[in-house]
Amino acid sequence: MATPHNEAEPGDYAETVLMPGDPLRAKYIAETFLDDARQVNGVRNCLGYTGTYKGVPVSTQASGMGIPSLSIYTHELASVYGVKNIIRVGSCGGVGKDVKLRDIILGEGSTTDSAVIENTFQPGIHYAPIADFELLDTAYHKAKELGISTKVGDVYAADRFYNDNVDMERLRDYGVLGIEMESAGLYLLGKQLGFRALSILTVSDMIFGEGSTTSEERERSFNDMITLALETAIAVK
């Protein structure tokens, strides 16, 4: 049952997985939020854990950075381990006009320059990857219940982290709220493989203006985002 990237056994993953990019954030989620958490994957140090949250089984599995890396882990979770819901819990750069440092963004859709998306379809088709509506709707209303402020809209999934050719001002003008590197791939595979997908993101630095968080803060302090994802996870059926 193990794959080239995952040593977990059948049944080791819950039906819902929280997916940070950072393996240390996966470890932090397991140790801080889950009861009876146990490590189920350590291949390449891309850590995965399963435990319970308020009595409901939940897993967390790191994806690494970028659509190609995330696509490996999501594909195997859905097609080999039977995972039904994957909620990305990641960081992003703030782009939107009203976005501030540490804001939480629910990614309704994901604009991208990724060749992975482009090469999935015949020339001339520009697929628009979008979140699962039930997960999005649940997260939005859970945030209201918890008093967690969120912004809902488009995020930009970039193929390259260092790229001076992207017109950020135009993306902002067209309503993009944040920039990261994974959501479009997650949403594409969700539709292809039949699992529900959502990105919940915390703004870790500002593209326009000043403000940033440290690597330790990104690993260990985005608790509102994690709580919202967990509450969403146990609310969906």
Short mmCIF file of all heavy atoms in Angstrom, two decimals, residues 188-226:
data_model
loop_
_atom_site.label_atom_id
_atom_site.label_comp_id
_atom_site.label_asym_id
_atom_site.label_seq_id
_atom_site.Cartn_x
_atom_site.Cartn_y
_atom_site.Cartn_z
N LEU A 188 -7.46 21.74 -9.10
CA LEU A 188 -7.50 20.93 -10.32
C LEU A 188 -7.63 19.45 -9.97
O LEU A 188 -8.49 18.74 -10.51
CB LEU A 188 -6.24 21.16 -11.14
CG LEU A 188 -6.09 20.28 -12.39
CD1 LEU A 188 -7.00 20.78 -13.50
CD2 LEU A 188 -4.64 20.25 -12.88
N LEU A 189 -6.77 18.97 -9.08
CA LEU A 189 -6.81 17.55 -8.73
C LEU A 189 -8.08 17.19 -7.97
O LEU A 189 -8.57 16.05 -8.08
CB LEU A 189 -5.58 17.18 -7.90
CG LEU A 189 -4.29 17.02 -8.70
CD1 LEU A 189 -3.11 16.78 -7.78
CD2 LEU A 189 -4.41 15.87 -9.70
N GLY A 190 -8.62 18.13 -7.20
CA GLY A 190 -9.88 17.85 -6.53
C GLY A 190 -10.97 17.50 -7.52
O GLY A 190 -11.74 16.56 -7.32
N LYS A 191 -11.03 18.26 -8.61
CA LYS A 191 -12.05 17.97 -9.64
C LYS A 191 -11.71 16.69 -10.40
O LYS A 191 -12.59 15.89 -10.72
CB LYS A 191 -12.15 19.15 -10.61
CG LYS A 191 -12.50 20.48 -9.96
CD LYS A 191 -13.77 20.42 -9.14
CE LYS A 191 -14.09 21.77 -8.53
NZ LYS A 191 -15.25 21.71 -7.61
N GLN A 192 -10.43 16.49 -10.70
CA GLN A 192 -10.03 15.31 -11.47
C GLN A 192 -10.26 14.01 -10.69
O GLN A 192 -10.77 13.02 -11.24
CB GLN A 192 -8.56 15.41 -11.84
CG GLN A 192 -8.04 14.20 -12.60
CD GLN A 192 -6.54 14.25 -12.83
OE1 GLN A 192 -5.88 15.26 -12.58
NE2 GLN A 192 -5.97 13.16 -13.30
N LEU A 193 -9.92 14.02 -9.41
CA LEU A 193 -9.94 12.79 -8.62
C LEU A 193 -11.16 12.67 -7.71
O LEU A 193 -11.35 11.64 -7.07
CB LEU A 193 -8.67 12.69 -7.78
CG LEU A 193 -7.36 12.65 -8.57
CD1 LEU A 193 -6.16 12.66 -7.63
CD2 LEU A 193 -7.30 11.44 -9.49
N GLY A 194 -11.97 13.71 -7.63
CA GLY A 194 -13.23 13.61 -6.91
C GLY A 194 -13.15 13.85 -5.42
O GLY A 194 -14.06 13.44 -4.68
N PHE A 195 -12.11 14.53 -4.92
CA PHE A 195 -12.09 14.92 -3.52
C PHE A 195 -12.42 16.41 -3.40
O PHE A 195 -12.29 17.17 -4.36
CB PHE A 195 -10.75 14.61 -2.84
CG PHE A 195 -9.57 15.37 -3.37
CD1 PHE A 195 -9.24 16.62 -2.86
CD2 PHE A 195 -8.76 14.83 -4.36
CE1 PHE A 195 -8.14 17.33 -3.35
CE2 PHE A 195 -7.64 15.52 -4.85
CZ PHE A 195 -7.35 16.78 -4.33
N ARG A 196 -12.87 16.81 -2.22
CA ARG A 196 -13.22 18.21 -1.99
C ARG A 196 -11.98 18.97 -1.53
O ARG A 196 -11.22 18.48 -0.69
CB ARG A 196 -14.34 18.31 -0.96
CG ARG A 196 -15.62 17.66 -1.46
CD ARG A 196 -16.79 17.86 -0.51
NE ARG A 196 -16.65 17.09 0.71
CZ ARG A 196 -17.65 16.88 1.57
NH1 ARG A 196 -18.84 17.41 1.34
NH2 ARG A 196 -17.45 16.16 2.66
N ALA A 197 -11.80 20.17 -2.06
CA ALA A 197 -10.57 20.92 -1.84
C ALA A 197 -10.87 22.37 -1.49
O ALA A 197 -11.77 22.98 -2.07
CB ALA A 197 -9.68 20.86 -3.07
N LEU A 198 -10.09 22.89 -0.55
CA LEU A 198 -10.19 24.30 -0.17
C LEU A 198 -8.84 24.77 0.34
O LEU A 198 -8.15 24.03 1.06
CB LEU A 198 -11.25 24.48 0.94
CG LEU A 198 -11.37 25.89 1.54
CD1 LEU A 198 -11.89 26.88 0.51
CD2 LEU A 198 -12.27 25.88 2.77
N SER A 199 -8.49 26.01 0.02
CA SER A 199 -7.31 26.66 0.59
C SER A 199 -7.75 27.73 1.58
O SER A 199 -8.53 28.63 1.24
CB SER A 199 -6.46 27.31 -0.50
OG SER A 199 -5.67 26.35 -1.17
N ILE A 200 -7.23 27.60 2.81
CA ILE A 200 -7.37 28.64 3.82
C ILE A 200 -5.96 29.17 4.08
O ILE A 200 -5.06 28.42 4.45
CB ILE A 200 -7.98 28.09 5.12
CG1 ILE A 200 -9.34 27.42 4.84
CG2 ILE A 200 -8.14 29.20 6.15
CD1 ILE A 200 -10.00 26.82 6.06
N LEU A 201 -5.77 30.46 3.86
CA LEU A 201 -4.44 31.04 3.85
C LEU A 201 -4.34 32.19 4.83
O LEU A 201 -5.28 32.97 4.98
CB LEU A 201 -4.10 31.54 2.44
CG LEU A 201 -4.26 30.53 1.30
CD1 LEU A 201 -4.16 31.24 -0.04
CD2 LEU A 201 -3.23 29.43 1.40
N THR A 202 -3.18 32.32 5.47
CA THR A 202 -2.89 33.47 6.31
C THR A 202 -1.86 34.35 5.61
O THR A 202 -0.86 33.84 5.09
CB THR A 202 -2.33 33.03 7.67
OG1 THR A 202 -3.32 32.23 8.35
CG2 THR A 202 -2.01 34.24 8.54
N VAL A 203 -2.11 35.63 5.59
CA VAL A 203 -1.17 36.57 4.95
C VAL A 203 0.07 36.68 5.83
O VAL A 203 0.02 37.17 6.95
CB VAL A 203 -1.83 37.95 4.75
CG1 VAL A 203 -0.82 38.93 4.17
CG2 VAL A 203 -3.05 37.83 3.83
N SER A 204 1.19 36.23 5.29
CA SER A 204 2.44 36.20 6.05
C SER A 204 3.35 37.37 5.73
O SER A 204 4.27 37.68 6.50
CB SER A 204 3.20 34.90 5.77
OG SER A 204 3.50 34.79 4.39
N ASP A 205 3.11 38.02 4.61
CA ASP A 205 3.90 39.20 4.24
C ASP A 205 3.11 40.00 3.22
O ASP A 205 2.21 39.48 2.56
CB ASP A 205 5.28 38.81 3.68
CG ASP A 205 5.16 37.86 2.51
OD1 ASP A 205 5.02 36.63 2.73
OD2 ASP A 205 5.20 38.32 1.36
N MET A 206 3.46 41.25 3.09
CA MET A 206 2.73 42.15 2.21
C MET A 206 3.51 42.41 0.93
O MET A 206 4.69 42.76 0.98
CB MET A 206 2.44 43.47 2.92
CG MET A 206 1.57 43.33 4.17
SD MET A 206 -0.05 42.60 3.83
CE MET A 206 -0.74 43.81 2.70
N ILE A 207 2.86 42.22 -0.20
CA ILE A 207 3.48 42.52 -1.49
C ILE A 207 3.52 44.03 -1.70
O ILE A 207 4.50 44.57 -2.21
CB ILE A 207 2.71 41.84 -2.64
CG1 ILE A 207 2.62 40.33 -2.40
CG2 ILE A 207 3.37 42.15 -3.98
CD1 ILE A 207 3.95 39.63 -2.26
N PHE A 208 2.45 44.71 -1.32
CA PHE A 208 2.41 46.17 -1.38
C PHE A 208 2.45 46.69 0.06
O PHE A 208 1.67 46.28 0.90
CB PHE A 208 1.13 46.65 -2.07
CG PHE A 208 1.02 46.17 -3.49
CD1 PHE A 208 0.21 45.09 -3.81
CD2 PHE A 208 1.73 46.78 -4.50
CE1 PHE A 208 0.10 44.64 -5.12
CE2 PHE A 208 1.63 46.34 -5.82
CZ PHE A 208 0.81 45.27 -6.12
N GLY A 209 3.36 47.58 0.32
CA GLY A 209 3.51 48.09 1.67
C GLY A 209 4.44 47.22 2.49
O GLY A 209 5.07 46.29 1.98
N GLU A 210 4.53 47.50 3.77
CA GLU A 210 5.47 46.83 4.65
C GLU A 210 4.76 45.84 5.55
O GLU A 210 3.58 45.95 5.82
CB GLU A 210 6.23 47.86 5.50
CG GLU A 210 7.07 48.83 4.68
CD GLU A 210 7.83 49.81 5.56
OE1 GLU A 210 7.65 49.75 6.79
OE2 GLU A 210 8.59 50.61 5.00
N GLY A 211 5.53 44.87 6.04
CA GLY A 211 5.01 43.89 6.99
C GLY A 211 5.34 42.48 6.58
O GLY A 211 5.15 42.11 5.41
N SER A 212 5.85 41.69 7.53
CA SER A 212 6.17 40.29 7.26
C SER A 212 6.23 39.54 8.57
O SER A 212 6.33 40.13 9.65
CB SER A 212 7.51 40.16 6.51
OG SER A 212 8.58 40.65 7.31
N THR A 213 6.16 38.22 8.50
CA THR A 213 6.30 37.35 9.66
C THR A 213 7.57 36.53 9.51
O THR A 213 8.06 36.31 8.39
CB THR A 213 5.10 36.41 9.81
OG1 THR A 213 4.95 35.65 8.59
CG2 THR A 213 3.82 37.19 10.07
N THR A 214 8.10 36.05 10.62
CA THR A 214 9.30 35.23 10.59
C THR A 214 8.95 33.79 10.24
O THR A 214 7.77 33.39 10.28
CB THR A 214 10.00 35.24 11.95
OG1 THR A 214 9.16 34.58 12.91
CG2 THR A 214 10.28 36.67 12.41
N SER A 215 9.96 32.99 9.92
CA SER A 215 9.72 31.58 9.61
C SER A 215 9.12 30.86 10.82
O SER A 215 8.26 29.98 10.67
CB SER A 215 11.02 30.91 9.18
OG SER A 215 12.01 31.00 10.18
N GLU A 216 9.57 31.21 12.03
CA GLU A 216 9.02 30.59 13.23
C GLU A 216 7.56 30.98 13.43
O GLU A 216 6.72 30.13 13.79
CB GLU A 216 9.82 30.97 14.46
CG GLU A 216 9.32 30.29 15.74
CD GLU A 216 10.17 30.62 16.95
OE1 GLU A 216 11.12 31.41 16.83
OE2 GLU A 216 9.85 30.08 18.03
N GLU A 217 7.22 32.23 13.16
CA GLU A 217 5.83 32.66 13.27
C GLU A 217 4.96 31.95 12.24
O GLU A 217 3.83 31.54 12.54
CB GLU A 217 5.73 34.18 13.07
CG GLU A 217 6.26 34.98 14.25
CD GLU A 217 6.29 36.46 13.97
OE1 GLU A 217 6.57 36.86 12.81
OE2 GLU A 217 6.03 37.24 14.90
N ARG A 218 5.48 31.76 11.02
CA ARG A 218 4.71 31.06 10.00
C ARG A 218 4.49 29.60 10.39
O ARG A 218 3.46 29.02 10.07
CB ARG A 218 5.43 31.15 8.65
CG ARG A 218 5.44 32.56 8.06
CD ARG A 218 5.88 32.55 6.60
NE ARG A 218 7.23 32.11 6.41
CZ ARG A 218 8.30 32.89 6.47
NH1 ARG A 218 8.15 34.18 6.79
NH2 ARG A 218 9.51 32.42 6.26
N GLU A 219 5.45 29.02 11.08
CA GLU A 219 5.34 27.62 11.49
C GLU A 219 4.37 27.45 12.65
O GLU A 219 3.59 26.48 12.68
CB GLU A 219 6.72 27.10 11.91
CG GLU A 219 6.72 25.71 12.49
CD GLU A 219 8.02 25.39 13.19
OE1 GLU A 219 9.08 25.91 12.77
OE2 GLU A 219 7.99 24.65 14.19
N ARG A 220 4.34 28.40 13.62
CA ARG A 220 3.74 28.10 14.91
C ARG A 220 2.64 29.07 15.38
O ARG A 220 2.04 28.82 16.44
CB ARG A 220 4.83 28.07 16.00
CG ARG A 220 5.96 27.12 15.71
CD ARG A 220 7.00 27.14 16.81
NE ARG A 220 6.46 26.59 18.06
CZ ARG A 220 6.44 25.30 18.35
NH1 ARG A 220 6.91 24.41 17.49
NH2 ARG A 220 5.92 24.88 19.49
N SER A 221 2.36 30.13 14.64
CA SER A 221 1.47 31.14 15.22
C SER A 221 0.19 31.40 14.42
O SER A 221 -0.57 32.30 14.78
CB SER A 221 2.23 32.46 15.41
OG SER A 221 2.48 33.08 14.17
N PHE A 222 -0.06 30.64 13.38
CA PHE A 222 -1.26 30.89 12.57
C PHE A 222 -2.43 30.07 13.11
O PHE A 222 -3.10 29.32 12.39
CB PHE A 222 -0.99 30.57 11.11
CG PHE A 222 -0.01 31.50 10.44
CD1 PHE A 222 0.50 31.19 9.18
CD2 PHE A 222 0.40 32.68 11.04
CE1 PHE A 222 1.40 32.05 8.56
CE2 PHE A 222 1.30 33.54 10.43
CZ PHE A 222 1.80 33.23 9.17
N ASN A 223 -2.73 30.23 14.40
CA ASN A 223 -3.68 29.36 15.07
C ASN A 223 -5.12 29.57 14.66
O ASN A 223 -5.91 28.62 14.64
CB ASN A 223 -3.54 29.51 16.58
CG ASN A 223 -2.24 28.94 17.10
OD1 ASN A 223 -1.54 28.21 16.40
ND2 ASN A 223 -1.90 29.26 18.34
N ASP A 224 -5.52 30.80 14.33
CA ASP A 224 -6.89 31.03 13.89
C ASP A 224 -7.17 30.27 12.60
O ASP A 224 -8.24 29.67 12.44
CB ASP A 224 -7.14 32.52 13.68
CG ASP A 224 -7.38 33.27 14.98
OD1 ASP A 224 -7.51 32.61 16.03
OD2 ASP A 224 -7.44 34.51 14.95
N MET A 225 -6.23 30.28 11.68
CA MET A 225 -6.39 29.54 10.43
C MET A 225 -6.54 28.04 10.70
O MET A 225 -7.40 27.36 10.12
CB MET A 225 -5.19 29.78 9.51
CG MET A 225 -5.13 28.89 8.28
SD MET A 225 -3.67 29.20 7.25
CE MET A 225 -2.34 28.62 8.32
N ILE A 226 -5.70 27.51 11.57
CA ILE A 226 -5.73 26.07 11.87
C ILE A 226 -7.04 25.70 12.56
O ILE A 226 -7.68 24.69 12.22
CB ILE A 226 -4.51 25.69 12.73
CG1 ILE A 226 -3.22 25.93 11.94
CG2 ILE A 226 -4.60 24.23 13.17
CD1 ILE A 226 -1.96 25.89 12.80
#
